[in-house]
Amino acid sequence: MKSYWVESTNLTNYPKIKENIETDVCIIGGGITGISTAYLLSKESNLDITLLEADLMGMGVSANTTAKVTSQHGLIYDYLYNSFGKESMEAYLNSNEEAIRLIEKIIEDENIECNFTKEDAYVYTCKEDNDEKIKKEVDVLNSVGFEAEYVKESPLPFEIVSAVKFKNQGQFHIRKYLLSLLKILENNNVNLFENSKVVDIKHKTDMYEIYVNDCKVECKYLVMATHYPIKNFPGMYFVKMYQESSYIIAVETEKEIFDGIYISCDTPTTSFRNVVEENGKKLLLVGGSGHKTGDTSVKIEDSYINLENYIKTIYPDAKVKYKWMTEDCVSLDKIPYIGDFSNFLPNMYVATGYKKWGMTTSHVAARIMTDKILDKINPYSKLYTATRLEPIKNSKEFGNMLKESVYSLAINKVTPPIIDFEELKNDSGGVVNYNGEKLGIYKDKNGEIFAVVPYCKHLGCELSWNNLEKTWDCPCHGSRYDYEGNIITEPTTEGLDRRRINTR
C-alpha cells in the first residue's frame, strides 16, 4: 500500500554515512522540514550542511500526505483568537500565508515541475449544528482583514450547509517537489546520507556529537526534523503531544472530478483534493477515518473500507487505485513546536506537532530555524516557541487536550487482549501468552512465525497489533514497528527484541 506520490516517482539512492565527519549544521530527518531547512541554509549561507535520513529521502510522513498547500487548517482561527488573542491568531495566519508564497517562489525560482496549482480551499459542514462555527471562523478572519468568505454552496457534488472559503491556496506533487530540492542540495554541496539512523546525541560544551551507523558527526548547530523528536530529555515532548493516524484512498471515476481542496468540520472528518496523473486523467484523493495511533478500541481494518463505501455513495463507479495511511503529531495547545529544543541545549532546534498540516508548517519551521542559525530576527518565532509553558485561556479546549496528553503518558494503559497461540490464524497477529512470556506474534500467509517482545523501546508502553498494516503500534507516543520489529516511525530509535519460537 504505497501512496500515489511514491508510485509515480523514482526512489533516491544516496550513500550511507561510513566515516566520521565534522560539519557546521547537522539536520536529522530527510522529509519536507529537513530538506526545506537545508535548502534555505544552502541558499543564504556558506555553512557546511549535512542531512541524515534513517530510511530514504522524502519517504516518511512527507510521502503520505494529501499535499495541500494551505493556511486553512480546519476551524483553527476562532480557537486561536479565543485561546491566545488576536495577535497570536494573526501571526499564525500570516506565517502560513507567507509559507505558501515561499513555496510558490521556490518553485518559480528553481523552475520546479511539481504540478503546483492554485486552488480555492474550503472548510465545510453538512450539519446545521456546525453552521455557527463556520460563521464565527469567517468573522474572526475578517476582523483582521483576511478575505475569508462565508458560502452556502461549493463545487462539491453534494449539498453543504455552509463553508469557509480561502482563495489563492494550492496543491502540488510533494515527491516531485522534494526530489527537485534534493538535486539542488546536491549542486549546493550539501552532504546527503540515507539509511543513516541516529542512535544517540551528546552535547559537548559548544558542539554536538551525533552517533549514526557506527560513525560520529560533530556539529555546532543541530536540527531535529524527525516528525517526532527522537531525544526525550530535557525537551519532554512526549508529555506535550500525541499522534493520530489517518487514511487516504485515490479513486478513479468516469464522472467529472471537481477542483479545489476541502475538509469537513463534521465528525467523522473527510478531506478531498484531486490529482492529475501523467496520462492527464484525474484521480480524487479522499482522506479520513482518523484515530489515535495504537487505539485498540478502533476497528482499524475498516479504515479504508469506510472511505471506499462513502465515496461510492457519491461516485458509484469509483475504483480505488492507491491507498495509504499516515500519522502526525498533535501538540497540546494545537500550535506546532518550532525553535529551540530546550533552554539547556543551545543551538539545537526542533520542529514538530504539525497536526496534519505539514506542507505550510514545514516552511514556517524552515524559515524560523534558518533565521535562528543565521542570527536573524523572525517575527513568528515567539508564537511557535517550542519550550513554551504558558497556560491556555480556553479552559474547555485545554481540558480536552490535557486528557489526550495524560492518556498518552499512561504506561501500559491499553492492554491488548491476550490470545491463545493455537487460535492465531495465518496472516494475523496479536499478543500471545507463550510459555509464561507475553510475546507479540505475527503468523504470515504461509504460517511462518515472527515473534517480538511487545514493548515499545521508546518508553516501554505495551504495543498493539495493527492487522491492516501488519505493524506493531505504540498507543502512548505513536512509534510503529513492522512485524519483524524494525522501526517504521519514531520517536523510538531502537528496534524490538526478537524471539525464536519452536512450535514442534
Side-chain angles (χ1 to χ4, degrees), residues 313-332:
T313 66
I314 303 170
Y315 299 115
D317 69 332
K319 294 180 181 178
V320 177
K321 287 198 66 176
Y322 305 94
K323 55 184 177 180
W324 63 95
M325 65 85 62
T326 189
E327 65 177 359
D328 209 353
C329 304
V330 182
S331 68
L332 187 60

Side-chain angles (χ1 to χ4, degrees), residues 94-264:
N94 290 339
S95 62
N96 281 279
E97 279 289 301
E98 288 182 20
I100 299 172
R101 307 290 89 82
L102 174 59
I103 292 170
E104 287 185 276
K105 186 175 188 303
I106 292 172
I107 291 170
E108 183 178 353
D109 289 351
E110 305 292 353
N111 295 313
I112 295 174
E113 293 292 335
C114 60
N115 307 102
F116 179 84
T117 58
K118 287 193 174 183
E119 304 287 343
D120 292 334
Y122 299 79
V123 178
Y124 70 92
T125 181
C126 295
K127 298 180 179 180
E128 292 286 350
D129 291 347
N130 285 331
D131 182 51
E132 191 61 30
K133 294 179 182 178
I134 297 288
K135 289 178 179 177
K136 286 182 178 180
E137 187 81 351
V138 171
D139 288 344
V140 77
L141 286 161
N142 290 165
S143 73
V144 297
F146 186 77
E147 294 183 10
E149 295 181 47
Y150 174 80
V151 296
K152 303 284 284 184
E153 296 179 343
S154 76
L156 289 167
F158 51 82
E159 290 187 2
I160 64 170
V161 170
S162 59
V164 186
K165 178 181 176 182
F166 282 20
K167 294 180 178 179
N168 295 316
Q169 308 296 289
Q171 62 183 22
F172 63 176
H173 190 304
I174 177 60
R175 285 270 301 167
K176 287 183 179 180
Y177 179 71
L178 294 181
L179 293 175
S180 296
L181 289 186
L182 286 167
K183 289 293 183 183
I184 296 165
L185 295 184
E186 286 183 61
N187 295 334
N188 290 347
N189 296 315
V190 173
N191 305 306
L192 303 173
F193 296 107
E194 294 182 328
N195 298 303
S196 300
K197 183 167 186 55
V198 174
V199 296
D200 197 11
I201 299 169
K202 294 182 180 179
H203 180 222
K204 301 287 186 179
T205 311
D206 60 348
M207 50 88 71
Y208 290 93
E209 294 177 347
I210 298 98
Y211 294 87
V212 50
N213 287 15
D214 296 322
C215 300
K216 182 172 67 174
V217 178
E218 294 184 336
C219 65
K220 179 179 180 180
Y221 303 101
L222 176 59
V223 173
M224 201 175 303
T226 54
H227 168 65
Y228 199 118
I230 59 173
K231 186 174 177 63
N232 291 325
F233 304 101
M236 299 278 286
Y237 289 92
F238 59 87
V239 179
K240 306 187 288 184
M241 291 192 302
Y242 59 96
Q243 295 211 60
E244 285 190 355
S245 298
S246 55
Y247 302 81
I248 303 163
I249 59 174
V251 302
E252 61 180 4
T253 173
E254 293 304 315
K255 295 186 178 181
E256 185 177 355
I257 293 176
F258 49 90
D259 291 327
I261 57 179
Y262 306 81
I263 190 165
S264 70

